[in-house]
Amino acid sequence: MPAFLLTTEFVQSEQTDTEAFLQSCENGNVHTACSPQGSPSGSSSDGERPDLSRGKRRTTSSHPRQSEHNISESDTDFEEEEEEEEEEEEEQENDQEAVGNGDEECQGDVDKPEFLSVTCGSATGTLQKDRFASGTSGKCIRTASKWLTPVEFAREDPVLANSSWKKSILCQGIPISDLIERRVLIPHSLLCRCRLCSKNKKDLMEQENDDYCAVCVRRGSLLCCDQCPRAFHTGCHLPTVDKGTLGEQWLCTYCVLTKSQGWRYTCDRSLTQALESCISDFMLECQYLLLQLYNADKDHIFFSDPCDTVTRYREFIKNPMWLDKVAEKLQDRQYSSVGQFVSDIHLIFKNCATFNRDNEFGQTGARLRQLFDEEFQHVFSVKN
Ligand SMILES: [Zn+2]
Ligand SMILES: [Zn+2]
Ligand SMILES: [Zn+2]
C-alpha cells in the first residue's frame, strides 16, 4: 500500500502532560471523534450530517457488532497468559461493568468511539477503548492496516515480542498497566462471554473491520471492506454503494485505487496536464481524494453548507462550497475536467481562509488544503 494512503488517518493529538492526559482519559474525553465545537465555516454543532441528495442508503440488517451479545462456544480456552490469571479476581469484579460496556454498543449512532494513541517500540497504533477486553481477546488496536489484540500488537516489534504487553504498550508514555489500574481501561472478566471475548470464528471475523464509518466516524449499519479494516455507510462511501448490486466481495475505493495502480498505465504529467484531464478517466482518483478530506476533517467543519449554520456567512462569502456539495457534483457527473473538481475543493479552503483568517478554523483549512494538494500530486503523478 503506498504510504500516501495512510498519511491522514488516525491523526494523533498533540502530547499533553501525563496528569492532564490521564485526567482526560478518565473523563472519557480523549480522541473522541467529531468533537462538537461548532464552526464558523462548517456543519451543525453536533456534527450531524444532513440528508444528502446523493442518497444516503443504509443496509437493512444491523452491523454485526451492533446486535445482541452472542454466547461464545467456550469460555475455557481463551486466556492463555499466566499474567492474566493472576488478575482473575480483580477482573471478575469488573465483569458486571464490562458487560455493561458491551451493551452500550447498541446505541448506534449516538456513541462515538474514543481512541488512545499507543506505541510498542517502533509499532504505532490507535486503541479504541470500548474494544479493549484483555491481552488475547478483543482486537482493540488499529494499526495502519489491521486490527490487533494487545498481545498481537506487542509482537509487532520483534524486540519487545517477549515482554509483557501491559508494560511494553505505552499510551503517551504511560504503560497500559497504569491505565488499567486507573480504570481508564477495564479488562473483561475471564468468564465474560461478550463477542470481544468470544473465540468463535464469526465473532473474530467481525473484529477485523472498524465499527465506525471511515467518512463520518459514526456507527450504524456499515459495509465492511474485504481487503482493509475500513467500514462505511453505503451512502458515505464514494461512490455510494447500492446494496442490491453487492457481490461476494466488496473493496472500498482506497483498496480499488491501490489495486488499480498495479495495472493502470501511469506516467508523470505536468500540473496543467493533470487539471485538463477528462474527469471520467480519473473518477477513482477524485473519489479517493474526497474520501481523504472527509476522513481528515475530524470535526466535520467542511462537510455541509456553512450558510445553514453560520450567521451572516453569505455577507462575506459569495460562493460557498462544502464537501457534500462537491461529492454530489462528482456523483452527478457535473464536472467534466479534473480542474473543475480541484477548483471547487480549493474554493472551500479559499472561503475558509477569507472568513476565518488565521484562527483555529483557518489553520485547519490550511492544513487540509495542503494535505489535498500533496495527495493530488501523488495520485496524479504530478512532476514538479
Ligand atoms: Zn468480554
Ligand atoms: Zn458514514
Ligand atoms: Zn478497503
Side-chain angles (χ1 to χ4, degrees), residues 17-60:
D17 70 59
T18 307
E19 274 311 310
F21 166 69
L22 280 167
Q23 192 135 36
S24 61
C25 285
E26 283 156 7
N27 295 338
N29 289 333
V30 173
H31 288 216
T32 301
C34 331
S35 59
Q37 52 179 311
S39 65
S41 63
S43 62
S44 57
S45 62
D46 65 354
E48 195 74 50
R49 292 182 68 184
D51 265 353
L52 306 179
S53 49
R54 64 191 167 96
K56 188 167 257 183
R57 275 178 227 112
R58 281 180 176 263
T59 48
T60 47

mmCIF file of all heavy atoms in Angstrom, residues 17-60:
data_model
loop_
_atom_site.group_PDB
_atom_site.id
_atom_site.type_symbol
_atom_site.label_atom_id
_atom_site.label_comp_id
_atom_site.label_asym_id
_atom_site.label_seq_id
_atom_site.Cartn_x
_atom_site.Cartn_y
_atom_site.Cartn_z
ATOM 1 N N ASP A 17 0.609 16.851 29.006
ATOM 2 C CA ASP A 17 1.400 16.294 30.088
ATOM 3 C C ASP A 17 0.654 15.135 30.713
ATOM 4 O O ASP A 17 -0.551 14.980 30.560
ATOM 5 C CB ASP A 17 1.852 17.365 31.102
ATOM 6 C CG ASP A 17 0.700 17.882 31.918
ATOM 7 O OD1 ASP A 17 0.058 17.070 32.590
ATOM 8 O OD2 ASP A 17 0.442 19.095 31.853
ATOM 9 N N THR A 18 1.411 14.285 31.390
ATOM 10 C CA THR A 18 0.882 12.999 31.837
ATOM 11 C C THR A 18 -0.404 13.127 32.647
ATOM 12 O O THR A 18 -1.382 12.449 32.384
ATOM 13 C CB THR A 18 1.955 12.281 32.674
ATOM 14 O OG1 THR A 18 3.127 12.260 31.897
ATOM 15 C CG2 THR A 18 1.534 10.878 33.021
ATOM 16 N N GLU A 19 -0.381 14.018 33.629
ATOM 17 C CA GLU A 19 -1.547 14.116 34.505
ATOM 18 C C GLU A 19 -2.788 14.580 33.737
ATOM 19 O O GLU A 19 -3.863 14.020 33.865
ATOM 20 C CB GLU A 19 -1.263 15.082 35.670
ATOM 21 C CG GLU A 19 -0.568 14.399 36.846
ATOM 22 C CD GLU A 19 -1.248 13.098 37.287
ATOM 23 O OE1 GLU A 19 -2.478 13.092 37.485
ATOM 24 O OE2 GLU A 19 -0.545 12.076 37.407
ATOM 25 N N ALA A 20 -2.580 15.607 32.936
ATOM 26 C CA ALA A 20 -3.709 16.124 32.161
ATOM 27 C C ALA A 20 -4.238 15.050 31.242
ATOM 28 O O ALA A 20 -5.443 14.889 31.058
ATOM 29 C CB ALA A 20 -3.264 17.339 31.359
ATOM 30 N N PHE A 21 -3.303 14.276 30.697
ATOM 31 C CA PHE A 21 -3.703 13.209 29.793
ATOM 32 C C PHE A 21 -4.554 12.175 30.521
ATOM 33 O O PHE A 21 -5.629 11.807 30.062
ATOM 34 C CB PHE A 21 -2.464 12.544 29.196
ATOM 35 C CG PHE A 21 -2.778 11.249 28.522
ATOM 36 C CD1 PHE A 21 -3.506 11.237 27.340
ATOM 37 C CD2 PHE A 21 -2.401 10.041 29.081
ATOM 38 C CE1 PHE A 21 -3.832 10.042 26.728
ATOM 39 C CE2 PHE A 21 -2.721 8.853 28.473
ATOM 40 C CZ PHE A 21 -3.432 8.850 27.294
ATOM 41 N N LEU A 22 -4.063 11.742 31.676
ATOM 42 C CA LEU A 22 -4.811 10.724 32.414
ATOM 43 C C LEU A 22 -6.175 11.245 32.832
ATOM 44 O O LEU A 22 -7.173 10.546 32.775
ATOM 45 C CB LEU A 22 -4.012 10.276 33.644
ATOM 46 C CG LEU A 22 -2.924 9.263 33.315
ATOM 47 C CD1 LEU A 22 -1.986 9.098 34.481
ATOM 48 C CD2 LEU A 22 -3.518 7.926 32.913
ATOM 49 N N GLN A 23 -6.177 12.512 33.241
ATOM 50 C CA GLN A 23 -7.444 13.100 33.640
ATOM 51 C C GLN A 23 -8.438 13.089 32.482
ATOM 52 O O GLN A 23 -9.588 12.701 32.646
ATOM 53 C CB GLN A 23 -7.200 14.542 34.071
ATOM 54 C CG GLN A 23 -8.399 15.135 34.772
ATOM 55 C CD GLN A 23 -7.956 15.880 36.013
ATOM 56 O OE1 GLN A 23 -6.887 16.493 35.988
ATOM 57 N NE2 GLN A 23 -8.731 15.820 37.069
ATOM 58 N N SER A 24 -7.931 13.464 31.320
ATOM 59 C CA SER A 24 -8.848 13.494 30.183
ATOM 60 C C SER A 24 -9.286 12.092 29.811
ATOM 61 O O SER A 24 -10.400 11.873 29.377
ATOM 62 C CB SER A 24 -8.235 14.230 28.996
ATOM 63 O OG SER A 24 -7.071 13.590 28.585
ATOM 64 N N CYS A 25 -8.390 11.098 30.005
ATOM 65 C CA CYS A 25 -8.783 9.701 29.762
ATOM 66 C C CYS A 25 -9.920 9.327 30.695
ATOM 67 O O CYS A 25 -10.902 8.720 30.308
ATOM 68 C CB CYS A 25 -7.645 8.736 30.088
ATOM 69 S SG CYS A 25 -6.368 8.730 28.870
ATOM 70 N N GLU A 26 -9.737 9.693 31.966
ATOM 71 C CA GLU A 26 -10.716 9.291 32.961
ATOM 72 C C GLU A 26 -12.054 9.968 32.716
ATOM 73 O O GLU A 26 -13.107 9.430 32.976
ATOM 74 C CB GLU A 26 -10.177 9.582 34.372
ATOM 75 C CG GLU A 26 -9.153 8.527 34.780
ATOM 76 C CD GLU A 26 -8.166 8.987 35.837
ATOM 77 O OE1 GLU A 26 -8.328 10.097 36.372
ATOM 78 O OE2 GLU A 26 -7.225 8.231 36.112
ATOM 79 N N ASN A 27 -11.989 11.183 32.197
ATOM 80 C CA ASN A 27 -13.241 11.870 31.859
ATOM 81 C C ASN A 27 -13.833 11.360 30.564
ATOM 82 O O ASN A 27 -14.910 11.765 30.169
ATOM 83 C CB ASN A 27 -12.999 13.385 31.714
ATOM 84 C CG ASN A 27 -12.577 13.989 33.027
ATOM 85 O OD1 ASN A 27 -12.841 13.425 34.078
ATOM 86 N ND2 ASN A 27 -11.898 15.125 32.969
ATOM 87 N N GLY A 28 -13.059 10.498 29.916
ATOM 88 C CA GLY A 28 -13.555 9.940 28.663
ATOM 89 C C GLY A 28 -13.504 10.923 27.511
ATOM 90 O O GLY A 28 -14.292 10.854 26.588
ATOM 91 N N ASN A 29 -12.539 11.853 27.563
ATOM 92 C CA ASN A 29 -12.528 12.890 26.530
ATOM 93 C C ASN A 29 -11.421 12.731 25.513
ATOM 94 O O ASN A 29 -11.205 13.603 24.694
ATOM 95 C CB ASN A 29 -12.350 14.264 27.175
ATOM 96 C CG ASN A 29 -13.593 14.663 27.905
ATOM 97 O OD1 ASN A 29 -14.674 14.225 27.548
ATOM 98 N ND2 ASN A 29 -13.459 15.476 28.928
ATOM 99 N N VAL A 30 -10.708 11.640 25.574
ATOM 100 C CA VAL A 30 -9.555 11.552 24.701
ATOM 101 C C VAL A 30 -9.926 11.049 23.317
ATOM 102 O O VAL A 30 -10.594 10.037 23.177
ATOM 103 C CB VAL A 30 -8.495 10.625 25.330
ATOM 104 C CG1 VAL A 30 -7.369 10.376 24.354
ATOM 105 C CG2 VAL A 30 -7.954 11.281 26.575
ATOM 106 N N HIS A 31 -9.528 11.788 22.335
ATOM 107 C CA HIS A 31 -9.663 11.380 20.937
ATOM 108 C C HIS A 31 -11.084 11.047 20.536
ATOM 109 O O HIS A 31 -11.302 10.253 19.650
ATOM 110 C CB HIS A 31 -8.778 10.154 20.652
ATOM 111 C CG HIS A 31 -7.342 10.491 20.632
ATOM 112 N ND1 HIS A 31 -6.458 9.901 19.778
ATOM 113 C CD2 HIS A 31 -6.632 11.379 21.352
ATOM 114 C CE1 HIS A 31 -5.267 10.383 19.988
ATOM 115 N NE2 HIS A 31 -5.338 11.280 20.937
ATOM 116 N N THR A 32 -12.026 11.618 21.210
ATOM 117 C CA THR A 32 -13.386 11.398 20.765
ATOM 118 C C THR A 32 -13.510 12.020 19.388
ATOM 119 O O THR A 32 -13.172 13.168 19.204
ATOM 120 C CB THR A 32 -14.377 12.060 21.729
ATOM 121 O OG1 THR A 32 -14.144 11.478 22.999
ATOM 122 C CG2 THR A 32 -15.802 11.807 21.310
ATOM 123 N N ALA A 33 -13.923 11.240 18.457
ATOM 124 C CA ALA A 33 -14.032 11.768 17.105
ATOM 125 C C ALA A 33 -15.148 12.798 17.057
ATOM 126 O O ALA A 33 -16.057 12.780 17.870
ATOM 127 C CB ALA A 33 -14.317 10.633 16.145
ATOM 128 N N CYS A 34 -15.083 13.661 16.106
ATOM 129 C CA CYS A 34 -16.102 14.681 15.852
ATOM 130 C C CYS A 34 -16.423 15.490 17.098
ATOM 131 O O CYS A 34 -17.577 15.600 17.473
ATOM 132 C CB CYS A 34 -17.438 14.096 15.391
ATOM 133 S SG CYS A 34 -17.375 12.593 14.529
ATOM 134 N N SER A 35 -15.425 16.010 17.779
ATOM 135 C CA SER A 35 -15.751 16.790 18.962
ATOM 136 C C SER A 35 -16.600 17.979 18.542
ATOM 137 O O SER A 35 -16.248 18.698 17.630
ATOM 138 C CB SER A 35 -14.480 17.254 19.645
ATOM 139 O OG SER A 35 -13.719 18.025 18.748
ATOM 140 N N PRO A 36 -17.739 18.159 19.191
ATOM 141 C CA PRO A 36 -18.646 19.210 18.747
ATOM 142 C C PRO A 36 -18.136 20.569 19.200
ATOM 143 O O PRO A 36 -18.147 20.880 20.352
ATOM 144 C CB PRO A 36 -19.959 18.855 19.433
ATOM 145 C CG PRO A 36 -19.567 18.030 20.607
ATOM 146 C CD PRO A 36 -18.221 17.455 20.357
ATOM 147 N N GLN A 37 -17.643 21.328 18.291
ATOM 148 C CA GLN A 37 -17.181 22.645 18.695
ATOM 149 C C GLN A 37 -17.742 23.731 17.797
ATOM 150 O O GLN A 37 -17.325 24.863 17.873
ATOM 151 C CB GLN A 37 -15.655 22.690 18.719
ATOM 152 C CG GLN A 37 -15.047 22.210 17.418
ATOM 153 C CD GLN A 37 -13.549 22.289 17.458
ATOM 154 O OE1 GLN A 37 -13.010 23.302 17.820
ATOM 155 N NE2 GLN A 37 -12.873 21.230 17.093
ATOM 156 N N GLY A 38 -18.694 23.380 17.000
ATOM 157 C CA GLY A 38 -19.253 24.387 16.113
ATOM 158 C C GLY A 38 -18.214 24.804 15.116
ATOM 159 O O GLY A 38 -17.091 24.363 15.184
ATOM 160 N N SER A 39 -18.546 25.650 14.216
ATOM 161 C CA SER A 39 -17.551 26.097 13.275
ATOM 162 C C SER A 39 -18.044 27.289 12.493
ATOM 163 O O SER A 39 -19.177 27.325 12.041
ATOM 164 C CB SER A 39 -17.232 24.980 12.303
ATOM 165 O OG SER A 39 -18.363 24.696 11.535
ATOM 166 N N PRO A 40 -17.177 28.279 12.362
ATOM 167 C CA PRO A 40 -17.573 29.436 11.583
ATOM 168 C C PRO A 40 -17.869 29.055 10.141
ATOM 169 O O PRO A 40 -18.629 29.718 9.477
ATOM 170 C CB PRO A 40 -16.360 30.354 11.655
ATOM 171 C CG PRO A 40 -15.560 29.853 12.793
ATOM 172 C CD PRO A 40 -15.848 28.399 12.895
ATOM 173 N N SER A 41 -17.229 27.998 9.687
ATOM 174 C CA SER A 41 -17.409 27.734 8.266
ATOM 175 C C SER A 41 -17.956 26.351 8.037
ATOM 176 O O SER A 41 -17.712 25.736 7.036
ATOM 177 C CB SER A 41 -16.061 27.850 7.564
ATOM 178 O OG SER A 41 -15.204 26.858 8.073
ATOM 179 N N GLY A 42 -18.642 25.817 9.030
ATOM 180 C CA GLY A 42 -18.946 24.413 8.843
ATOM 181 C C GLY A 42 -20.296 23.924 9.289
ATOM 182 O O GLY A 42 -21.290 24.638 9.315
ATOM 183 N N SER A 43 -20.278 22.659 9.679
ATOM 184 C CA SER A 43 -21.520 21.936 9.879
ATOM 185 C C SER A 43 -22.163 22.289 11.204
ATOM 186 O O SER A 43 -21.615 23.005 12.017
ATOM 187 C CB SER A 43 -21.214 20.453 9.838
ATOM 188 O OG SER A 43 -20.330 20.142 10.886
ATOM 189 N N SER A 44 -23.325 21.719 11.429
ATOM 190 C CA SER A 44 -24.060 21.962 12.652
ATOM 191 C C SER A 44 -23.239 21.513 13.842
ATOM 192 O O SER A 44 -22.382 20.656 13.732
ATOM 193 C CB SER A 44 -25.390 21.216 12.606
ATOM 194 O OG SER A 44 -25.159 19.851 12.391
ATOM 195 N N SER A 45 -23.525 22.058 14.990
ATOM 196 C CA SER A 45 -22.636 21.877 16.121
ATOM 197 C C SER A 45 -22.555 20.433 16.587
ATOM 198 O O SER A 45 -21.577 20.035 17.178
ATOM 199 C CB SER A 45 -23.081 22.772 17.269
ATOM 200 O OG SER A 45 -24.382 22.387 17.651
ATOM 201 N N ASP A 46 -23.529 19.621 16.343
ATOM 202 C CA ASP A 46 -23.428 18.240 16.804
ATOM 203 C C ASP A 46 -22.805 17.339 15.751
ATOM 204 O O ASP A 46 -22.720 16.135 15.934
ATOM 205 C CB ASP A 46 -24.798 17.698 17.223
ATOM 206 C CG ASP A 46 -25.747 17.607 16.049
ATOM 207 O OD1 ASP A 46 -25.375 18.060 14.947
ATOM 208 O OD2 ASP A 46 -26.832 17.073 16.226
ATOM 209 N N GLY A 47 -22.336 17.926 14.690
ATOM 210 C CA GLY A 47 -21.638 17.134 13.691
ATOM 211 C C GLY A 47 -22.567 16.269 12.863
ATOM 212 O O GLY A 47 -22.139 15.445 12.080
ATOM 213 N N GLU A 48 -23.862 16.446 13.033
ATOM 214 C CA GLU A 48 -24.828 15.643 12.284
ATOM 215 C C GLU A 48 -24.783 16.029 10.818
ATOM 216 O O GLU A 48 -24.764 17.196 10.472
ATOM 217 C CB GLU A 48 -26.220 15.940 12.832
ATOM 218 C CG GLU A 48 -27.280 14.954 12.417
ATOM 219 C CD GLU A 48 -27.146 13.634 13.138
ATOM 220 O OE1 GLU A 48 -27.042 13.626 14.362
ATOM 221 O OE2 GLU A 48 -27.125 12.615 12.444
ATOM 222 N N ARG A 49 -24.724 15.035 9.956
ATOM 223 C CA ARG A 49 -24.747 15.375 8.543
ATOM 224 C C ARG A 49 -26.179 15.424 8.048
ATOM 225 O O ARG A 49 -27.004 14.627 8.439
ATOM 226 C CB ARG A 49 -23.953 14.333 7.746
ATOM 227 C CG ARG A 49 -22.476 14.413 8.050
ATOM 228 C CD ARG A 49 -21.721 13.428 7.234
ATOM 229 N NE ARG A 49 -21.745 13.773 5.826
ATOM 230 C CZ ARG A 49 -21.211 12.999 4.891
ATOM 231 N NH1 ARG A 49 -20.646 11.879 5.217
ATOM 232 N NH2 ARG A 49 -21.242 13.363 3.642
ATOM 233 N N PRO A 50 -26.449 16.376 7.194
ATOM 234 C CA PRO A 50 -27.815 16.473 6.684
ATOM 235 C C PRO A 50 -28.093 15.335 5.717
ATOM 236 O O PRO A 50 -27.176 14.670 5.256
ATOM 237 C CB PRO A 50 -27.799 17.808 5.951
ATOM 238 C CG PRO A 50 -26.378 17.997 5.524
ATOM 239 C CD PRO A 50 -25.540 17.326 6.568
ATOM 240 N N ASP A 51 -29.361 15.140 5.407
ATOM 241 C CA ASP A 51 -29.696 14.168 4.370
ATOM 242 C C ASP A 51 -29.108 14.654 3.069
ATOM 243 O O ASP A 51 -29.256 15.806 2.705
ATOM 244 C CB ASP A 51 -31.227 14.092 4.218
ATOM 245 C CG ASP A 51 -31.772 12.969 5.039
ATOM 246 O OD1 ASP A 51 -30.955 12.217 5.590
ATOM 247 O OD2 ASP A 51 -33.004 12.864 5.131
ATOM 248 N N LEU A 52 -28.437 13.790 2.402
ATOM 249 C CA LEU A 52 -27.742 14.229 1.208
ATOM 250 C C LEU A 52 -28.535 13.841 -0.019
ATOM 251 O O LEU A 52 -29.140 12.792 -0.073
ATOM 252 C CB LEU A 52 -26.375 13.564 1.129
ATOM 253 C CG LEU A 52 -25.514 13.744 2.369
ATOM 254 C CD1 LEU A 52 -24.208 13.032 2.169
ATOM 255 C CD2 LEU A 52 -25.294 15.201 2.625
ATOM 256 N N SER A 53 -28.459 14.713 -0.985
ATOM 257 C CA SER A 53 -29.175 14.363 -2.206
ATOM 258 C C SER A 53 -28.456 13.230 -2.922
ATOM 259 O O SER A 53 -29.015 12.587 -3.785
ATOM 260 C CB SER A 53 -29.303 15.580 -3.108
ATOM 261 O OG SER A 53 -28.039 16.189 -3.230
ATOM 262 N N ARG A 54 -27.174 12.989 -2.539
ATOM 263 C CA ARG A 54 -26.513 11.865 -3.179
ATOM 264 C C ARG A 54 -26.995 10.546 -2.584
ATOM 265 O O ARG A 54 -26.492 9.480 -2.891
ATOM 266 C CB ARG A 54 -24.993 11.987 -3.134
ATOM 267 C CG ARG A 54 -24.366 11.968 -1.769
ATOM 268 C CD ARG A 54 -22.909 12.359 -1.901
ATOM 269 N NE ARG A 54 -22.299 12.655 -0.629
ATOM 270 C CZ ARG A 54 -21.594 11.778 0.056
ATOM 271 N NH1 ARG A 54 -21.428 10.570 -0.400
ATOM 272 N NH2 ARG A 54 -21.051 12.133 1.193
ATOM 273 N N GLY A 55 -27.991 10.645 -1.722
ATOM 274 C CA GLY A 55 -28.708 9.433 -1.358
ATOM 275 C C GLY A 55 -28.020 8.584 -0.321
ATOM 276 O O GLY A 55 -27.208 7.744 -0.636
ATOM 277 N N LYS A 56 -28.324 8.814 0.931
ATOM 278 C CA LYS A 56 -27.734 8.009 1.985
ATOM 279 C C LYS A 56 -28.528 6.726 2.104
ATOM 280 O O LYS A 56 -29.667 6.725 2.532
ATOM 281 C CB LYS A 56 -27.776 8.806 3.281
ATOM 282 C CG LYS A 56 -27.014 8.161 4.401
ATOM 283 C CD LYS A 56 -26.829 9.123 5.547
ATOM 284 C CE LYS A 56 -25.423 9.654 5.526
ATOM 285 N NZ LYS A 56 -25.094 10.516 6.605
ATOM 286 N N ARG A 57 -27.938 5.641 1.670
ATOM 287 C CA ARG A 57 -28.625 4.361 1.792
ATOM 288 C C ARG A 57 -28.077 3.623 2.988
ATOM 289 O O ARG A 57 -26.913 3.699 3.302
ATOM 290 C CB ARG A 57 -28.405 3.517 0.535
ATOM 291 C CG ARG A 57 -29.379 3.850 -0.543
ATOM 292 C CD ARG A 57 -29.093 3.036 -1.767
ATOM 293 N NE ARG A 57 -29.093 3.898 -2.905
ATOM 294 C CZ ARG A 57 -28.007 4.196 -3.611
ATOM 295 N NH1 ARG A 57 -26.870 3.697 -3.311
ATOM 296 N NH2 ARG A 57 -28.070 5.011 -4.626
ATOM 297 N N ARG A 58 -28.932 2.909 3.638
ATOM 298 C CA ARG A 58 -28.472 2.135 4.776
ATOM 299 C C ARG A 58 -28.809 0.672 4.572
ATOM 300 O O ARG A 58 -29.840 0.351 4.044
ATOM 301 C CB ARG A 58 -29.142 2.615 6.068
ATOM 302 C CG ARG A 58 -28.497 3.857 6.569
ATOM 303 C CD ARG A 58 -29.141 4.350 7.822
ATOM 304 N NE ARG A 58 -28.387 5.506 8.285
ATOM 305 C CZ ARG A 58 -27.457 5.427 9.213
ATOM 306 N NH1 ARG A 58 -27.190 4.289 9.796
ATOM 307 N NH2 ARG A 58 -26.803 6.495 9.579
ATOM 308 N N THR A 59 -27.902 -0.165 4.997
ATOM 309 C CA THR A 59 -28.191 -1.586 4.892
ATOM 310 C C THR A 59 -29.295 -1.914 5.878
ATOM 311 O O THR A 59 -29.420 -1.274 6.907
ATOM 312 C CB THR A 59 -26.945 -2.427 5.216
ATOM 313 O OG1 THR A 59 -26.395 -1.911 6.422
ATOM 314 C CG2 THR A 59 -25.928 -2.330 4.122
ATOM 315 N N THR A 60 -30.100 -2.872 5.579
ATOM 316 C CA THR A 60 -31.249 -3.149 6.424
ATOM 317 C C THR A 60 -30.862 -3.897 7.693
ATOM 318 O O THR A 60 -31.372 -3.630 8.750
ATOM 319 C CB THR A 60 -32.290 -3.984 5.666
ATOM 320 O OG1 THR A 60 -31.601 -5.049 5.025
ATOM 321 C CG2 THR A 60 -33.020 -3.152 4.637
#
